[in-house]
């Protein structure tokens, strides 16, 4: 089972794509709670060079609340992760988690509808970035 949705963007800078991702997330009701800069972290902690790669922890408070009401330990699966990575050809790939794949492991039927709604929103974000 594929656990993410993605798109690749050419001829735009990493920072420009990141701004577009954040705007697309906002448009769908998500905020960015965390931003993990893998490139900087690996350089600082391991003294290794790595490609530009960031993990955004995105959260839609309404859906997070509903999910936590249905399953109080679901916070382990939150927030929804979005990655932005620069490829060897300088293009930028954006990938979002498929909440149906991740929440399917929980086996709580009360989460199915929530996961489907969040999946639709995250797919729309990828579609917005394609245009």
């Amino acid at each position: 089972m594929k656990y993410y949705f993605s798109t690749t963007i050419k001829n735009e800078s990493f920072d420009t794509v990141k701004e577009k991702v954040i705007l697309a997330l906002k448009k769908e009701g998500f905020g960015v709670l965390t931003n993990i800069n893998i490139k900087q972290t690996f350089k600082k902690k391991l003294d290794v060079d790595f490609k530009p790669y960031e993990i955004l922890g995105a959260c839609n408070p309404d859906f997070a609340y509903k999910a936590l009401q249905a399953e109080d330990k679901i916070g382990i699966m939150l927030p929804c992760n979005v990655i932005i990575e620069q490829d060897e050809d300088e293009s930028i790939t954006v990938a979002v988690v498929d909440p149906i794949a991740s929440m399917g492991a929980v086996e709580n039927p009360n989460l199915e509808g929530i996961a489907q709604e969040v999946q639709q929103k995250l797919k729309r974000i990828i579609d917005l970035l394609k245009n």
Side-chain angles (χ1 to χ4, degrees):
M1 172 186 260
K2 193 169 178 183
Y3 58 95
Y4 64 93
F5 305 103
S6 66
T7 189
T8 300
I9 301 165
K10 297 184 182 294
N11 302 319
E12 294 198 40
S13 73
F14 188 93
D15 290 335
T16 298
V17 172
K18 181 179 171 183
E19 287 176 25
K20 287 183 176 185
V21 169
I22 292 169
L23 287 172
L25 286 164
K26 284 182 184 177
K27 192 170 194 175
E28 289 295 329
F30 290 84
V32 176
L33 299 177
T34 60
N35 184 351
I36 302 167
N37 187 318
I38 297 296
K39 178 182 172 101
Q40 286 179 354
T41 300
F42 284 178
K43 187 63 176 173
K44 181 178 178 181
K45 301 287 185 181
L46 304 173
D47 196 28
V48 296
D49 292 319
F50 197 76
K51 63 185 174 181
Y53 190 114
E54 293 188 31
I55 304 168
L56 305 180
C59 180
N60 180 305
D62 186 47
F63 286 107
Y65 178 69
K66 288 176 186 175
L68 286 163
Q69 286 184 310
E71 177 79 35
D72 68 344
K73 302 299 183 280
I74 201 65
I76 291 170
M77 304 288 200
L78 302 177
C80 295
N81 282 333
V82 179
I83 64 165
I84 306 166
E85 66 178 307
Q86 186 169 317
D87 302 316
E88 286 184 26
D89 66 357
E90 301 295 314
S91 63
I92 309 297
T93 297
V94 178
V96 298
V97 67
D98 180 353
I100 290 179
S102 62
M103 289 192 188
V106 179
E107 298 179 359
N108 179 336
N110 296 324
L111 290 172
E112 290 174 12
I114 297 165
Q116 288 172 350
E117 288 183 74
V118 174
Q119 182 193 59
Q120 290 170 359
K121 287 182 166 295
L122 293 173
K123 279 183 172 180
R124 279 195 296 268
I125 289 164
I126 292 298
D127 289 342
L128 279 170
L129 294 169
K130 288 179 182 179
N131 298 327

